[in-house]
Amino acid sequence: MQQTLDWIDWTVLIATLVTIVGYGTWKTRGSKNVQDYVKGGNTSKWWTIGLSVMATQASAITFLSTTGQAFSDGMGFVQFYFGLPIAMVIICLVFIPLYHRLKVYTAYEFLENRFDLKTRSLTAILFLIQRGLAAGITIFAPAIILSVVLGWNIVTLNIIIGVLVIIYTVSGGTKAVTVTQKQQMFVIFAGMLAALFVVIDLIPDEVSFVEAIDIAGATGKMQVLDFSFDLENRYTVWTGLIGGTFLMLSYFGTDQSQVQRYLSGKSMKEMQMGLLFNGLLKVPMQFFILLVGVMVFVFYQFNPSPLNFIDASTETVLASEYGNEYRQLQEQQEDLFELKQKVSLELANNPTDNEASRKKLAALDIVEKSYRSQSKFLIKKAVDPEYTKEYNALKNKVNLLTSNPESPEYIEKSNALENLYKEAARDTQTNDRDYMFIRFILNHLPTGLIGLLLAVILSAAMSSTASEINALATITSIDLYGRNLKENKDEEHMVKMTKWFTFGWGIVAIIIACFADLAENLIQLVNIIGSIFYGNVLGIFLLAFFFKHIKGNAVFIGALITQIIIITLYLLDNEGIINLPYLWLNLIGCVIVIIIANILQASAKNKSLSEA
């Protein structure tokens, strides 16, 4: 069922967005040289840098997907960010002093000074590929969800978000991005804080906040730390501290969308303090957003929840030949809700001797997850006849082999059937994690706050997209266009071209958004794209910093080979041939490029010695 907004919500939403865009455009108009347009005139204070860095990373995906992640799996995702404070300290000690001393406009200028032009260009191109894709996804994420829930046209939404960002980013460059991100972060903090207070207030009066946490804990949602070395688990303390540190080092240290934020600082000290501010605040911020998702989970222990939060998909399956099966599941879900509500109240009313209630609630949560999986399977069969044919054919083969369950063929076909069943949960029209929070907002929050939280989602999309297209334009203008011009151009020409590149990348981001598709979880998709490229790029920078004997040719060839290896590893994992959580790609890529470059350099040295 699509929803309409009250006029008060429309007023709050439009007024918030127009104010941010108008203020950013007015405040930063008239940049006449590259220093002002690309580095914001080096006027930013540390708190502005810190908020801008946070706003760049906090896209709409952060609020839609992270809350959905917490609703499904609990607080464990916060471990992903455990490496961030470590990375901030390293960047402050190593990267920033170097960038500041060389007075670079982009991170990749340094690579030409250290290696050669082709290594600088290759690294810049790797950035353009992954960040260009990410820019499209940051527009697409809120657009697809709002289009399904509110019935708004997705192409129109993509264009609206993209055009709003283009207006102030083309006009004022880096300074416009930084100035608007302060306002956007204020809206984001206010909106999420209000959402937490309201959802807690919606939980029954006889259930205190501490008891709500206990209910969440009974189902494993409050398990924050996982010290296991299980590769089946994407998020553990170790993946966060090791893989996460390498990802954050590369993202904040070599990704121009972040580097450009702190290069706008008044001094090296302001840059360093801005990043340390981000390092101190980011993990608590993510914990807070996850807690909102967990509290929504507790809310649904006392209020009926749909089997699937995508209403259009539910309507499709109910109208199909699988409608009766789905209705049976809905009836079972209703019966389950009454049990959950009863056991949750027992747990809240008996805080001391409640072990039996905790076990009951955990068992009921497992049952509910199985219902949700079955619902996704039925939706997938309803919307995809080819999937249904493939599944039925494979199931028939497995049934024929049941007489010999230990045979290799039976085991192989059974595993394939199980993987095909799980595939249904990752489909665009069944995967409803990213829809949970927006559906809760529209169904249960008061008028006015709905408009504010929609403004939060769109502001977050605008803030991260603005940083991305600003960085994409800077890299294109300075690392590719400006560096390869045969004659020097004046400042006015370079500012003009950077504006055109900003406009061009904004259009590219809109086009990518219009052709994008949902993955298993949007926030994971963005991090996967980063992990495929970031380890390699970080390795190149570490070679530049610490391996003084390595030359440009060895790094260039090593980087090309490494990128092929990392993409291959990801594809093998995606096909289920190997099991490798994506965060480890950051460490593996970094290590491989360093090893290959050293081998190639040693080989080149031996060859020159033998020729001599």
Side-chain angles (χ1 to χ4, degrees):
M1 182 180 67
Q2 293 171 349
Q3 297 200 209
T4 56
L5 293 184
D6 189 276
W7 70 268
I8 297 175
D9 293 312
W10 275 114
T11 303
V12 172
L13 174 61
I14 293 171
T16 303
L17 297 182
V18 169
T19 300
I20 290 171
V21 173
Y23 178 77
T25 305
W26 171 76
K27 187 77 174 174
T28 60
R29 65 200 184 282
S31 298
K32 296 202 168 37
N33 58 59
V34 177
Q35 173 81 4
D36 282 345
Y37 193 78
V38 172
K39 296 174 78 174
N42 290 107
T43 58
S44 297
K45 297 276 193 178
W46 65 268
W47 61 84
T48 301
I49 294 169
L51 289 173
S52 184
V53 165
M54 290 177 68
T56 296
Q57 192 179 23
S59 68
I61 298 167
T62 302
F63 303 99
L64 293 171
S65 282
T66 305
T67 47
Q69 184 89 12
F71 180 87
S72 298
D73 300 325
M75 300 291 293
F77 182 67
V78 77
Q79 296 169 111
F80 171 82
Y81 295 93
F82 281 3
L84 189 143
I86 300 169
M88 295 303 98
V89 173
I90 295 171
I91 292 168
C92 286
L93 294 175
V94 178
F95 289 69
I96 289 179
L98 193 60
Y99 292 155
H100 185 259
R101 187 174 72 249
L102 295 175
K103 301 188 185 304
V104 295
Y105 287 100
T106 78
Y108 313 117
E109 283 183 78
F110 163 68
L111 295 179
E112 183 178 1
N113 295 333
R114 173 63 181 83
F115 296 125
D116 50 32
L117 177 58
K118 65 178 182 293
T119 303
R120 172 184 179 178
S121 299
L122 172 65
T123 314
I125 289 168
L126 290 176
F127 167 79
L128 293 177
I129 293 170
Q130 66 92 5
R131 191 46 62 189
L133 290 170
I137 293 167
T138 53
I139 293 176
F140 169 76
I144 181 64
I145 292 165
L146 292 174
S147 71
V148 171
V149 173
L150 295 171
W152 300 350
N153 181 274
I154 185 169
V155 174
T156 304
L157 271 168
N158 287 331
I159 293 171
I160 289 171
I161 296 170
V163 168
L164 286 173
V165 171
I166 288 170
I167 289 171
Y168 66 83
T169 310
V170 169
S171 171
T174 295
K175 195 169 185 179
V177 174
T178 303
V179 165
T180 53
Q181 283 177 331
K182 282 195 294 185
Q183 277 72 43
Q184 286 160 337
M185 284 306 294
F186 173 77
V187 171
I188 287 167
F189 282 137
M192 293 306 291
L193 195 62
L196 180 62
F197 281 122
V198 170
V199 70
I200 292 172
D201 186 61
L202 289 172
I203 294 170
D205 292 339
E206 61 265 38
V207 180
S208 68
F209 176 68
V210 173
E211 290 163 348
I213 293 291
D214 196 34
I215 290 169
T219 58
K221 295 293 188 290
M222 293 306 297
Q223 183 179 344
V224 177
L225 302 177
D226 182 349
F227 289 95
S228 72
F229 289 93
D230 183 9
L231 289 178
E232 292 285 340
N233 193 348
R234 281 178 169 175
Y235 305 112
T236 66
V237 169
W238 312 115
T239 57
L241 286 176
I242 301 171
T245 297
F246 277 82
L247 173 62
M248 300 304 173
L249 268 177
S250 188
Y251 177 52
F252 289 98
T254 70
D255 188 308
Q256 184 64 22
S257 65
Q258 285 291 5
V259 173
Q260 203 157 334
R261 306 284 69 78
Y262 54 79
L263 286 183
S264 67
K266 286 184 72 174
S267 65
M268 186 171 75
K269 184 180 178 182
E270 297 284 349
M271 298 178 198
Q272 291 168 324
M273 288 180 65
L275 277 194
L276 291 175
F277 173 74
N278 174 62
L280 289 172
L281 209 58
K282 182 63 179 177
V283 176
M285 174 182 164
Q286 291 302 131
F287 186 93
F288 174 78
I289 295 169
L290 286 164
L291 185 61
V292 172
V294 169
M295 286 298 102
V296 174
F297 169 81
V298 175
F299 167 83
Y300 279 121
Q301 303 307 296
F302 301 100
N303 296 272
S305 65
L307 275 172
N308 192 284
F309 285 96
I310 309 175
D311 286 348
S313 297
T314 301
E315 291 167 6
T316 299
V317 71
L318 287 174
S320 73
E321 60 185 294
Y322 307 102
N324 289 334
E325 289 181 68
Y326 198 87
R327 288 185 187 90
Q328 288 176 4
L329 268 181
Q330 287 179 318
E331 291 171 6
Q332 290 173 309
Q333 172 83 348
E334 289 170 9
D335 294 338
L336 182 70
F337 162 67
E338 292 179 6
L339 283 172
K340 283 194 309 174
Q341 188 180 42
K342 179 183 175 183
V343 175
S344 296
L345 284 171
E346 286 175 3
L347 184 58
N349 294 331
N350 188 12
T352 53
D353 184 21
N354 58 21
E355 191 57 35
S357 298
R358 293 175 69 86
K359 288 180 178 178
K360 276 186 198 175
L361 195 58
L364 292 173
D365 188 55
I366 292 170
V367 174
E368 183 172 30
K369 284 182 177 177
S370 73
Y371 288 170
R372 292 189 185 279
S373 294
Q374 291 174 58
S375 73
K376 290 174 181 178
F377 177 61
L378 291 174
I379 292 169
K380 177 67 174 174
K381 291 205 293 185
V383 300
D384 189 350
E386 290 302 315
Y387 171 86
T388 307
K389 287 180 184 177
E390 184 182 357
Y391 183 86
N392 290 338
L394 191 55
K395 187 177 181 181
N396 289 335
K397 289 179 182 177
V398 171
N399 290 337
L400 291 172
L401 296 166
T402 50
S403 59
N404 188 9
E406 295 182 3
S407 69
E409 188 178 4
Y410 177 82
I411 293 170
E412 179 191 345
K413 299 294 183 188
S414 295
N415 289 337
L417 189 66
E418 184 180 355
N419 289 333
L420 198 59
Y421 179 81
K422 290 178 180 177
E423 183 186 306
R426 296 190 291 268
D427 187 81
T428 305
Q429 291 171 289
T430 66
N431 177 32
D432 62 339
R433 280 187 185 184
D434 300 323
Y435 291 79
M436 182 281 299
F437 189 52
I438 186 69
R439 174 57 65 199
F440 169 77
I441 289 170
L442 293 170
N443 286 351
H444 300 288
L445 295 194
T447 300
L449 188 54
I450 293 174
L452 177 62
L453 284 167
L454 289 177
V456 166
I457 292 166
L458 293 175
S459 291
M462 288 162 55
S463 68
S464 51
T465 305
S467 292
E468 287 163 346
I469 66 171
N470 179 226
L472 288 164
T474 299
I475 296 299
T476 307
S477 176
I478 292 181
D479 288 297
L480 299 180
Y481 175 77
R483 181 59 188 84
N484 291 288
L485 282 175
K486 293 183 179 177
E487 58 182 55
N488 291 329
K489 296 289 185 179
D490 59 26
E491 294 273 326
E492 187 177 347
H493 173 82
M494 290 304 296
V495 170
K496 182 179 178 181
M497 290 308 300
T498 306
K499 287 186 176 184
W500 276 111
F501 287 131
T502 303
F503 177 79
W505 276 110
I507 299 299
V508 168
I510 293 171
I511 292 170
I512 291 172
C514 290
F515 288 94
D517 196 5
L518 273 174
E520 181 180 348
N521 182 257
L522 288 168
I523 196 163
Q524 290 185 167
L525 176 60
V526 171
N527 290 324
I528 286 168
I529 291 172
S531 295
I532 290 171
F533 293 95
Y534 278 148
N536 191 13
V537 173
L538 177 61
I540 294 171
F541 274 85
L542 294 182
L543 284 165
F545 292 153
F546 303 114
F547 295 81
K548 300 302 181 184
H549 65 288
I550 302 292
K551 305 300 180 188
N553 280 338
V555 176
F556 181 80
I557 296 169
L560 288 175
I561 295 171
T562 298
Q563 200 57 63
I564 293 169
I565 292 172
I566 293 299
I567 291 172
T568 303
L569 287 174
Y570 170 71
L571 292 174
L572 290 173
D573 174 69
N574 199 46
E575 292 296 321
I577 298 171
I578 63 172
N579 187 9
L580 184 67
Y582 67 84
L583 276 176
W584 291 109
L585 293 176
N586 296 281
L587 174 61
I588 293 168
C590 182
V591 171
I592 288 176
V593 73
I594 290 172
I595 291 172
I596 292 176
N598 274 280
I599 291 171
L600 290 173
Q601 189 61 49
S603 176
K605 184 178 179 181
N606 291 336
K607 184 178 179 181
S608 62
L609 287 173
S610 62
E611 288 175 354

